[in-house]
Amino acid sequence: MDGVRDEELGTTERVLTLLGLLQRRRVWTGPGLAERLGVTPRTVRRDVERLRTLGYPVHAGQGVGGGYRLGPGQELPPLLLDDQEAIATAVSLLAGAGGAVAGAGDAALQALAKLDQVLPARLRHEVRALSGSVEFFGQGRTPVDPEVLMKLARACRDEVEAGFDYPSGGEVQSRRVEPYRLVASDRRWYLLAYDLDRDDWRTFRVDRMTDASARTWRFRPREAPDAATYVQEGVASRVYSHQARFLVHAPAETVRAQIPASAAVVRPRGSGRCEVLSGAERLDAVLMHVLLLGHAFEVLDPPELGERCRELAERLLAAGAPPAPVPDKQEP
């Protein structure tokens, strides 16, 4: 039995080596692969069939310029990376998660969490050192610790509780949560989680967390709101003292291009109109922002904001009226 296991292990190692060779070079000849693997061309053909069975599309060409070539398939099979390739991939994913590539943050973080799960310990310190040399400019997101992102991503994936310290009401408090989703806006990373001490859903800014950790206690997922919608509504509206809704006479796509996603929620309402939900510490501020969009609009909520519109309209009309003529002074 030990001889059979050794033979199976040798075949497995050889097939993985063959896969690595096919991923490294575009085309290999049969004799060339046989020489590199130390086997016969017939064994190479059998190993190629094993790879095909596993879902790797290995094409074989005849004649001059022919050979074995790894082609694209219907699904993405596992890749074999050497140490330097793994380090470069991890650092590139950190850059994507940091917002260097528009729209790539979520996918980069998910891929980074998968890579981190299998990354050898000897490479982790190199990845951390190199990630410290990656910076962003322009409209990038607020910097966060990539290790915190990965901890939270794993906790969401594994459905285990997480804990961290978080500022609230002028003091730092310990929070225990059931993490649900990480959500990236155009400026920041947020965690949508069920707060166990407050018995409700909460949104947390990742850059404000300290001492974040994933725990071993698993939880049964609750019925959750749509993560992206909930976080966006919270960031754009619920965190402010006042909220307002407007019906804007312009397509939703047009208005979204004018307002950052973190400043307002824009919902299509048909017939070239949309609803805008936003918040502010003073209602005048959100009213001025909607006014300066340059589209006709109506106030839906709150009712007092409609009255405020009329008051400001009267002031503007008075300010724009032609000045009254000044009577000529007559000599006594």
Side-chain angles (χ1 to χ4, degrees):
M1 292 296 292
D2 290 339
V4 173
R5 290 196 193 97
D6 290 343
E7 182 179 350
E8 290 177 350
L9 180 59
T11 300
T12 301
E13 291 177 344
R14 190 179 64 247
V15 170
L16 288 173
T17 303
L18 172 60
L19 176 59
L21 292 172
L22 290 171
Q23 290 178 344
R24 191 175 303 169
R25 184 189 296 179
R26 181 169 179 80
V27 178
W28 284 88
T29 64
L33 286 172
E35 181 181 355
R36 290 293 295 268
L37 296 171
V39 297
T40 65
R42 183 179 180 182
T43 301
V44 170
R45 289 194 294 270
R46 289 176 178 173
D47 289 346
V48 165
E49 287 303 319
R50 291 186 175 97
L51 286 176
R52 289 170 177 164
T53 301
L54 293 172
Y56 293 91
V58 182
H59 305 301
Q62 302 297 326
V64 178
Y68 293 104
R69 176 175 57 86
L70 187 62
Q74 297 299 318
E75 297 180 354
L76 180 65
L79 299 175
L80 296 181
L81 303 175
D82 61 26
D83 287 3
Q84 295 306 312
E85 291 169 339
I87 292 172
T89 300
V91 173
S92 297
L93 290 172
L94 285 170
V101 181
D106 294 334
L109 179 60
Q110 292 170 15
L112 184 60
K114 292 179 181 179
L115 181 61
D116 178 71
Q117 186 175 1
V118 298
L119 198 66
R122 68 178 185 275
L123 301 182
R124 293 178 186 274
H125 73 281
E126 293 191 46
V127 171
R128 283 194 291 267
L130 286 174
S131 65
S133 66
V134 178
E135 297 185 9
F136 311 102
F137 62 91
Q139 299 300 315
R141 297 193 185 105
T142 301
V144 297
D145 186 341
E147 290 193 12
V148 173
L149 276 179
M150 284 191 285
K151 285 180 183 178
L152 296 174
R154 285 195 297 266
C156 292
R157 179 197 62 197
D158 298 338
E159 297 175 352
V160 296
E161 291 183 15
F164 48 85
D165 293 339
Y166 198 80
S168 178
E171 61 179 354
V172 177
Q173 302 177 352
S174 296
R175 312 298 281 263
R176 296 185 309 117
V177 302
E178 295 176 355
Y180 177 60
R181 289 287 187 275
L182 281 164
V183 179
S185 75
D186 51 346
R187 297 175 58 193
R188 298 184 177 94
W189 280 100
Y190 297 90
L191 174 69
L192 174 62
Y194 193 85
D195 192 315
L196 294 170
D197 295 321
R198 289 154 182 79
D199 199 25
D200 199 3
W201 291 98
R202 290 289 190 273
T203 298
F204 301 95
R205 277 178 49 177
V206 176
D207 60 290
R208 290 183 173 177
M209 296 179 182
T210 54
D211 293 332
S213 63
R215 301 179 176 178
T216 57
W217 297 298
R218 296 183 61 87
F219 62 85
R220 184 185 299 275
R222 305 169 187 265
E223 184 176 351
D226 178 80
T229 300
Y230 187 92
V231 172
Q232 186 189 13
E233 289 181 355
V235 171
S237 176
R238 287 193 298 269
V239 297
Y240 295 102
S241 303
H242 302 282
Q243 293 78 42
R245 288 193 309 126
F246 304 88
L247 182 65
V248 179
H249 294 254
E253 295 77 11
T254 300
V255 177
R256 285 195 186 107
Q258 295 178 284
I259 306 178
S262 56
V265 178
V266 181
R267 304 189 182 102
R269 283 294 176 259
S271 303
R273 300 185 301 175
C274 63
E275 180 181 318
V276 174
L277 172 66
S278 187
E281 296 303 322
R282 296 175 58 252
L283 283 175
D284 281 4
V286 68
L287 179 61
M288 289 299 102
H289 280 124
V290 175
L291 175 65
L292 293 175
L293 293 177
H295 311 297
F297 68 93
E298 304 164 33
V299 175
L300 300 178
D301 283 310
E304 59 267 25
L305 189 56
E307 178 61 32
R308 183 60 174 164
C309 285
R310 288 184 285 274
E311 293 176 2
L312 293 175
E314 292 177 0
R315 290 188 188 180
L316 291 171
L317 286 172
V326 178
D328 294 335
K329 292 184 179 181
Q330 296 182 355
E331 295 292 337

